[in-house]
Amino acid sequence: MTQAPEATTAPPLRAAAGQPYAYARRELVEPDWTRLPGWRGVTREQWESAQWQRAHCVKNAKQLRAVMGDLLDERFYEDLARDQAERATMSMLLPPQMLNTMVPAGAADWTEAFLADPVRRYMLPVLSDRRTDWPSHPHASRDSLHEHDMWVVEGLTHRYPTKVLAEMLPTCPQYCGHCTRMDLVGTSTPQVDKLRLSLKPVDRADAMIDYLRRTPGVRDVVVSGGDVANMPWRQLESFLMRLLDVESVRDVRLATKALMGLPQHWLQDSVVEGLERVARTAHRRGVNLAIHTHVNHVNSVTPLVARAARTALEVGVRDVRNQGVLMEGVNATPEDLLDLCFALQGEANVLPYYFYLCDMIPNSEHWRVSVAHAQHLQHAVMGYLPGYATPRIVCDVPFVGKRWVHQVEEYDRERGISYWTKNYRTGIEADDVEALTRRYAFYDPIHTLPEQGQRWWREHTPTAG
Ligand code: SF4
């Protein structure tokens, strides 16, 4: 006869007690859009329609006022107008889905809550967010990763030996203030006259496929933009099918922040059916088809985002992964990163894959963090998530590519200069005998440096102070 186990006192919660981060499962929520005056009468059916979302994107202050009513004071709109005139490198474009994840219900002072909101801080920047001492690093530049220098045909960057990036189009359903492709993506702002692609989309796609057929050493294609959600589906599907026909292509990754910013797009019947056809073909040919998205804060992970990610997995996409960007005031604490990763991994089936340091583009110093802080964050997030879902924090070093932040070769912390090496030539270094022995520099934000370091930069930067 088996005996009932003796009643035991529950062991103390050693696992959770006293940990620097306390995990607790949290249900995803779609914030109630009817809390915003302009959307009081919007039905669920409208909200879940991609057409309704696209038609009601917020592109200027007038449209923002129409949604927010009198919730925000004039000081917010003045701050926004000055930023757009004096600093913004991206124009405003916010699908309702994204705007709705800013400021949850119940804020006592909406303007204060909106100014402090982590999603607002990178999607709708205002002048008071930016630094006045060093708004830009002296080494900041448009196209800071030199992607255009490495175009082998228009829009196709060949930076790594076996991988290429295909920039299919220069638009997205949403524009992020910190966009690394600010040189090309979006409409021009008073600060940035955007580069224009010259080939017709169909000719650009043909030239890319032709290059891949001629270059069998390339096995991995990131199909990006902009955001592929802005390509008419038939054009995208036709390109993907042609790509899957190239024998040497073994990995295809679709880059789309819209999976989070406009999940309604990826839930449309026509898109889901098309994605299933592509996934089936990829599977038959043994190609790994994945979606890479870009989520920076846990508040953006809502039930609709989870539904879009799971739908892609259900129709045969092998994996949905997140590539976030580390930004001060948005997510640059261990708690913010872990909250986001647990929501992605545990509630939406999105793999927390990478967090990048924000690139050295103009007017981005208030977002950027130092390599030392990124190393601290990497250390702080280890051991909480499954190993395969623990994000790697990476620095995209100009002329090098992604390096894990602990791979730094040498680091002058006083001046905030880190030095990196690489083990391959980029597409423009075939004849460069020093490419594999040279050290390549990356720069910390100057305001994070000790006083001697800041003084050194003031003395060595002609335009400083
Ligand atoms: S979605 Fe990506 S490409 Fe588009 S603006 Fe944002 S960061 Fe840039």
Side-chain angles (χ1 to χ4, degrees):
M1 181 183 145
T2 50
Q3 281 190 321
E6 263 178 51
T8 52
T9 347
L13 286 174
R14 284 180 199 282
Q19 298 291 5
Y21 175 83
Y23 167 73
R25 189 168 178 198
R26 260 176 266 166
E27 207 180 322
L28 303 183
V29 260
E30 206 72 55
D32 177 9
W33 54 87
T34 62
R35 77 191 186 288
L36 299 178
W39 294 334
R40 257 181 206 141
V42 174
T43 63
R44 176 163 294 279
E45 192 184 354
Q46 286 173 310
W47 190 261
E48 295 191 359
S49 147
Q51 284 73 21
W52 186 89
Q53 288 277 334
R54 285 191 192 262
H56 292 83
C57 278
V58 170
K59 302 188 211 64
N60 52 48
K62 190 170 167 220
Q63 292 173 340
L64 185 64
R65 283 175 195 271
V67 175
M68 304 304 271
D70 57 8
L71 289 173
L72 301 175
D73 337 330
E74 272 319 298
R75 71 192 147 115
F76 179 82
Y77 292 103
E78 280 158 25
D79 211 357
L80 177 64
R82 282 200 61 195
D83 196 69
Q84 292 183 328
E86 298 170 32
R87 290 277 185 259
T89 55
M90 297 299 289
S91 52
M92 189 198 297
L93 183 60
L94 288 165
Q97 172 74 26
M98 279 220 80
L99 185 52
N100 191 40
T101 61
M102 301 176 199
V103 188
D109 179 333
W110 267 79
T111 304
E112 286 304 320
F114 207 51
L115 283 168
D117 188 89
V119 178
R120 198 284 307 154
R121 283 181 62 86
Y122 82 96
M123 289 305 297
L124 188 59
V126 291
L127 190 72
S128 61
D129 294 333
R130 313 235 187 209
R131 294 203 67 87
T132 49
D133 50 358
W134 296 95
S136 293
H137 194 281
H139 287 274
S141 64
R142 298 173 61 139
D143 189 21
S144 69
L145 300 178
H146 303 274
E147 288 178 330
H148 307 157
D149 298 342
M150 297 177 200
W151 278 358
V152 282
V153 300
E154 188 178 81
L156 191 69
T157 301
H158 194 165
R159 180 153 71 125
Y160 298 97
T162 58
K163 313 188 259 187
V164 289
L165 166 79
E167 291 167 291
M168 306 302 295
L169 75 173
T171 66
C172 308
Q174 64 285 304
Y175 290 134
C176 318
H178 67 289
C179 179
T180 197
R181 299 205 180 106
M182 45 72 70
D183 194 28
L184 174 75
V185 170
T187 45
S188 294
T189 70
Q191 295 296 311
V192 186
D193 194 17
K194 308 275 168 161
L195 191 80
R196 285 186 181 76
L197 295 170
S198 60
L199 291 179
K200 282 198 227 148
V202 59
D203 295 336
R204 198 161 52 247
D206 284 352
M208 289 177 181
I209 296 287
D210 178 57
Y211 179 81
L212 292 168
R213 286 200 186 113
R214 287 185 281 116
T215 320
V218 172
R219 58 170 303 290
D220 178 359
V221 183
V222 177
V223 183
S224 181
D227 187 321
V228 293
N230 263 18
M231 264 179 100
W233 178 263
R234 280 157 64 131
Q235 266 178 38
L236 177 60
E237 182 171 344
S238 146
F239 181 76
L240 293 173
M241 291 302 198
R242 289 166 76 199
L243 204 54
L244 291 172
D245 245 353
V246 180
E247 202 60 40
S248 42
V249 170
R250 312 307 302 146
D251 272 276
V252 172
R253 308 187 253 170
L254 300 176
T256 175
K257 184 176 177 115
L259 191 85
M260 173 274 275
L262 186 64
Q264 294 85 348
H265 170 83
W266 290 100
L267 287 165
Q268 295 173 104
D269 289 346
S270 58
V271 173
V272 174
E273 285 158 20
L275 191 61
E276 185 164 24
R277 286 190 292 272
V278 174
R280 222 181 298 122
T281 307
H283 185 71
R284 205 169 48 242
R285 298 193 179 154
V287 175
N288 304 299
L289 175 72
I291 287 180
H292 281 200
T293 193
H294 169 189
V295 189
N296 295 328
H297 195 272
V298 65
N299 292 357
S300 303
V301 188
T302 73
L304 270 171
V305 174
R307 204 199 302 169
R310 291 200 179 114
T311 301
L313 294 169
E314 268 164 33
V315 300
V317 170
R318 174 195 153 142
D319 218 344
V320 180
R321 308 182 184 117
N322 185 50
Q323 304 194 158
V325 177
L326 274 187
M327 280 178 281
E328 190 62 53
V330 177
N331 58 10
T333 68
E335 294 71 28
D336 283 333
L337 292 184
L338 286 168
D339 285 352
L340 170 57
C341 291
F342 279 115
L344 290 168
Q345 170 74 5
E347 312 306 323
N349 298 94
V350 176
L351 186 81
Y353 174 43
Y354 277 147
F355 284 103
Y356 288 74
L357 269 84
C358 182
D359 292 317
M360 288 190 295
I361 53 156
N363 301 337
S364 64
E365 292 307 273
H366 65 296
W367 283 310
R368 295 204 313 121
V369 302
S370 65
V371 168
H373 186 65
Q375 289 176 333
H376 155 72
L377 291 173
Q378 181 73 80
H379 182 264
V381 302
M382 297 303 290
Y384 287 90
L385 292 139
Y388 73 93
T390 299
R392 288 178 224 162
I393 301 186
V394 293
C395 179
D396 207 341
V397 183
F399 294 114
V400 175
K402 282 176 283 298
R403 306 279 99 173
W404 302 346
V405 284
H406 284 88
Q407 280 185 288
V408 62
E409 282 284 322
E410 201 185 321
Y411 191 4
D412 175 346
R413 291 205 183 199
E414 188 173 299
R415 293 178 191 172
I417 310 176
S418 49
Y419 297 95
W420 310 77
T421 54
K422 63 181 177 181
N423 51 329
Y424 47 77
R425 292 187 161 78
T426 62
I428 52 173
E429 293 166 327
D431 304 322
D432 183 347
V433 287
E434 287 174 19
L436 303 188
T437 51
R438 185 180 295 127
R439 296 182 324 155
Y440 297 82
F442 190 82
Y443 302 91
D444 287 345
I446 294 170
H447 68 272
T448 64
L449 305 180
E451 179 45 35
Q452 303 95 299
Q454 298 199 28
R455 192 175 332 117
W456 187 88
W457 280 101
R458 283 195 295 273
E459 289 167 3
H460 290 80
T461 306
T463 52

PDB file of all heavy atoms in Angstrom, residues 112-126:
ATOM      1  N   GLU A 112       3.418  64.869 -18.671  1.00  0.00           N
ATOM      2  CA  GLU A 112       4.581  64.320 -17.965  1.00  0.00           C
ATOM      3  C   GLU A 112       4.749  62.841 -18.296  1.00  0.00           C
ATOM      4  O   GLU A 112       5.842  62.365 -18.568  1.00  0.00           O
ATOM      5  CB  GLU A 112       4.417  64.465 -16.432  1.00  0.00           C
ATOM      6  CG  GLU A 112       4.618  65.885 -15.925  1.00  0.00           C
ATOM      7  CD  GLU A 112       5.980  66.454 -16.320  1.00  0.00           C
ATOM      8  OE1 GLU A 112       6.961  65.704 -16.259  1.00  0.00           O
ATOM      9  OE2 GLU A 112       6.047  67.630 -16.728  1.00  0.00           O
ATOM     10  N   ALA A 113       3.626  62.113 -18.269  1.00  0.00           N
ATOM     11  CA  ALA A 113       3.693  60.667 -18.535  1.00  0.00           C
ATOM     12  C   ALA A 113       4.124  60.405 -19.972  1.00  0.00           C
ATOM     13  O   ALA A 113       4.901  59.489 -20.255  1.00  0.00           O
ATOM     14  CB  ALA A 113       2.338  60.031 -18.255  1.00  0.00           C
ATOM     15  N   PHE A 114       3.669  61.234 -20.887  1.00  0.00           N
ATOM     16  CA  PHE A 114       4.024  61.060 -22.305  1.00  0.00           C
ATOM     17  C   PHE A 114       5.514  61.350 -22.501  1.00  0.00           C
ATOM     18  O   PHE A 114       6.217  60.610 -23.186  1.00  0.00           O
ATOM     19  CB  PHE A 114       3.166  62.016 -23.140  1.00  0.00           C
ATOM     20  CG  PHE A 114       2.925  61.556 -24.549  1.00  0.00           C
ATOM     21  CD1 PHE A 114       2.454  60.287 -24.825  1.00  0.00           C
ATOM     22  CD2 PHE A 114       3.146  62.418 -25.617  1.00  0.00           C
ATOM     23  CE1 PHE A 114       2.210  59.864 -26.134  1.00  0.00           C
ATOM     24  CE2 PHE A 114       2.913  62.010 -26.931  1.00  0.00           C
ATOM     25  CZ  PHE A 114       2.446  60.738 -27.186  1.00  0.00           C
ATOM     26  N   LEU A 115       5.993  62.418 -21.836  1.00  0.00           N
ATOM     27  CA  LEU A 115       7.417  62.751 -21.973  1.00  0.00           C
ATOM     28  C   LEU A 115       8.291  61.622 -21.430  1.00  0.00           C
ATOM     29  O   LEU A 115       9.368  61.357 -21.946  1.00  0.00           O
ATOM     30  CB  LEU A 115       7.730  64.068 -21.249  1.00  0.00           C
ATOM     31  CG  LEU A 115       7.297  65.322 -22.001  1.00  0.00           C
ATOM     32  CD1 LEU A 115       7.376  66.550 -21.108  1.00  0.00           C
ATOM     33  CD2 LEU A 115       8.150  65.543 -23.255  1.00  0.00           C
ATOM     34  N   ALA A 116       7.826  60.965 -20.377  1.00  0.00           N
ATOM     35  CA  ALA A 116       8.641  59.914 -19.750  1.00  0.00           C
ATOM     36  C   ALA A 116       8.461  58.552 -20.413  1.00  0.00           C
ATOM     37  O   ALA A 116       9.192  57.612 -20.102  1.00  0.00           O
ATOM     38  CB  ALA A 116       8.249  59.802 -18.275  1.00  0.00           C
ATOM     39  N   ASP A 117       7.525  58.440 -21.332  1.00  0.00           N
ATOM     40  CA  ASP A 117       7.186  57.119 -21.873  1.00  0.00           C
ATOM     41  C   ASP A 117       8.330  56.542 -22.722  1.00  0.00           C
ATOM     42  O   ASP A 117       8.861  57.212 -23.615  1.00  0.00           O
ATOM     43  CB  ASP A 117       5.919  57.225 -22.734  1.00  0.00           C
ATOM     44  CG  ASP A 117       5.451  55.855 -23.135  1.00  0.00           C
ATOM     45  OD1 ASP A 117       4.663  55.265 -22.377  1.00  0.00           O
ATOM     46  OD2 ASP A 117       5.911  55.345 -24.181  1.00  0.00           O
ATOM     47  N   PRO A 118       8.720  55.274 -22.451  1.00  0.00           N
ATOM     48  CA  PRO A 118       9.864  54.691 -23.167  1.00  0.00           C
ATOM     49  C   PRO A 118       9.644  54.509 -24.672  1.00  0.00           C
ATOM     50  O   PRO A 118      10.583  54.660 -25.457  1.00  0.00           O
ATOM     51  CB  PRO A 118      10.066  53.337 -22.480  1.00  0.00           C
ATOM     52  CG  PRO A 118       8.785  53.044 -21.765  1.00  0.00           C
ATOM     53  CD  PRO A 118       8.167  54.363 -21.432  1.00  0.00           C
ATOM     54  N   VAL A 119       8.419  54.203 -25.080  1.00  0.00           N
ATOM     55  CA  VAL A 119       8.181  54.019 -26.521  1.00  0.00           C
ATOM     56  C   VAL A 119       8.154  55.393 -27.200  1.00  0.00           C
ATOM     57  O   VAL A 119       8.756  55.601 -28.264  1.00  0.00           O
ATOM     58  CB  VAL A 119       6.876  53.220 -26.769  1.00  0.00           C
ATOM     59  CG1 VAL A 119       6.610  53.081 -28.263  1.00  0.00           C
ATOM     60  CG2 VAL A 119       6.967  51.846 -26.114  1.00  0.00           C
ATOM     61  N   ARG A 120       7.492  56.364 -26.538  1.00  0.00           N
ATOM     62  CA  ARG A 120       7.484  57.728 -27.081  1.00  0.00           C
ATOM     63  C   ARG A 120       8.915  58.243 -27.247  1.00  0.00           C
ATOM     64  O   ARG A 120       9.243  58.897 -28.238  1.00  0.00           O
ATOM     65  CB  ARG A 120       6.689  58.618 -26.099  1.00  0.00           C
ATOM     66  CG  ARG A 120       6.167  59.941 -26.561  1.00  0.00           C
ATOM     67  CD  ARG A 120       7.171  61.053 -26.677  1.00  0.00           C
ATOM     68  NE  ARG A 120       7.965  61.300 -25.486  1.00  0.00           N
ATOM     69  CZ  ARG A 120       9.169  61.847 -25.496  1.00  0.00           C
ATOM     70  NH1 ARG A 120       9.728  62.235 -26.625  1.00  0.00           N
ATOM     71  NH2 ARG A 120       9.858  61.998 -24.382  1.00  0.00           N
ATOM     72  N   ARG A 121       9.792  57.906 -26.310  1.00  0.00           N
ATOM     73  CA  ARG A 121      11.138  58.485 -26.322  1.00  0.00           C
ATOM     74  C   ARG A 121      11.935  58.119 -27.574  1.00  0.00           C
ATOM     75  O   ARG A 121      12.854  58.830 -27.926  1.00  0.00           O
ATOM     76  CB  ARG A 121      11.918  58.078 -25.065  1.00  0.00           C
ATOM     77  CG  ARG A 121      11.497  58.880 -23.838  1.00  0.00           C
ATOM     78  CD  ARG A 121      12.299  58.492 -22.618  1.00  0.00           C
ATOM     79  NE  ARG A 121      13.716  58.751 -22.796  1.00  0.00           N
ATOM     80  CZ  ARG A 121      14.318  59.912 -22.556  1.00  0.00           C
ATOM     81  NH1 ARG A 121      13.613  60.932 -22.092  1.00  0.00           N
ATOM     82  NH2 ARG A 121      15.605  60.041 -22.751  1.00  0.00           N
ATOM     83  N   TYR A 122      11.588  57.028 -28.227  1.00  0.00           N
ATOM     84  CA  TYR A 122      12.338  56.770 -29.467  1.00  0.00           C
ATOM     85  C   TYR A 122      11.475  56.858 -30.728  1.00  0.00           C
ATOM     86  O   TYR A 122      12.007  57.054 -31.815  1.00  0.00           O
ATOM     87  CB  TYR A 122      13.104  55.443 -29.396  1.00  0.00           C
ATOM     88  CG  TYR A 122      12.314  54.181 -29.691  1.00  0.00           C
ATOM     89  CD1 TYR A 122      12.331  53.617 -30.961  1.00  0.00           C
ATOM     90  CD2 TYR A 122      11.583  53.542 -28.712  1.00  0.00           C
ATOM     91  CE1 TYR A 122      11.624  52.453 -31.241  1.00  0.00           C
ATOM     92  CE2 TYR A 122      10.877  52.386 -28.976  1.00  0.00           C
ATOM     93  CZ  TYR A 122      10.907  51.849 -30.243  1.00  0.00           C
ATOM     94  OH  TYR A 122      10.214  50.708 -30.518  1.00  0.00           O
ATOM     95  N   MET A 123      10.143  56.777 -30.559  1.00  0.00           N
ATOM     96  CA  MET A 123       9.295  56.841 -31.756  1.00  0.00           C
ATOM     97  C   MET A 123       8.798  58.256 -32.058  1.00  0.00           C
ATOM     98  O   MET A 123       8.394  58.548 -33.172  1.00  0.00           O
ATOM     99  CB  MET A 123       8.087  55.907 -31.594  1.00  0.00           C
ATOM    100  CG  MET A 123       8.406  54.431 -31.645  1.00  0.00           C
ATOM    101  SD  MET A 123       9.304  53.876 -33.124  1.00  0.00           S
ATOM    102  CE  MET A 123       8.161  54.224 -34.456  1.00  0.00           C
ATOM    103  N   LEU A 124       8.801  59.106 -31.031  1.00  0.00           N
ATOM    104  CA  LEU A 124       8.265  60.462 -31.219  1.00  0.00           C
ATOM    105  C   LEU A 124       9.160  61.438 -30.444  1.00  0.00           C
ATOM    106  O   LEU A 124       8.741  62.015 -29.438  1.00  0.00           O
ATOM    107  CB  LEU A 124       6.812  60.476 -30.678  1.00  0.00           C
ATOM    108  CG  LEU A 124       5.964  61.709 -30.910  1.00  0.00           C
ATOM    109  CD1 LEU A 124       5.802  62.013 -32.388  1.00  0.00           C
ATOM    110  CD2 LEU A 124       4.583  61.512 -30.263  1.00  0.00           C
ATOM    111  N   PRO A 125      10.405  61.600 -30.891  1.00  0.00           N
ATOM    112  CA  PRO A 125      11.336  62.396 -30.087  1.00  0.00           C
ATOM    113  C   PRO A 125      10.981  63.879 -30.052  1.00  0.00           C
ATOM    114  O   PRO A 125      10.412  64.412 -31.009  1.00  0.00           O
ATOM    115  CB  PRO A 125      12.686  62.179 -30.782  1.00  0.00           C
ATOM    116  CG  PRO A 125      12.405  61.562 -32.087  1.00  0.00           C
ATOM    117  CD  PRO A 125      11.023  60.989 -32.066  1.00  0.00           C
ATOM    118  N   VAL A 126      11.327  64.515 -28.942  1.00  0.00           N
ATOM    119  CA  VAL A 126      11.153  65.974 -28.803  1.00  0.00           C
ATOM    120  C   VAL A 126      12.520  66.567 -28.452  1.00  0.00           C
ATOM    121  O   VAL A 126      13.429  65.839 -28.009  1.00  0.00           O
ATOM    122  CB  VAL A 126      10.101  66.323 -27.719  1.00  0.00           C
ATOM    123  CG1 VAL A 126       8.715  65.918 -28.171  1.00  0.00           C
ATOM    124  CG2 VAL A 126      10.444  65.700 -26.378  1.00  0.00           C
TER     125      VAL A 126
END
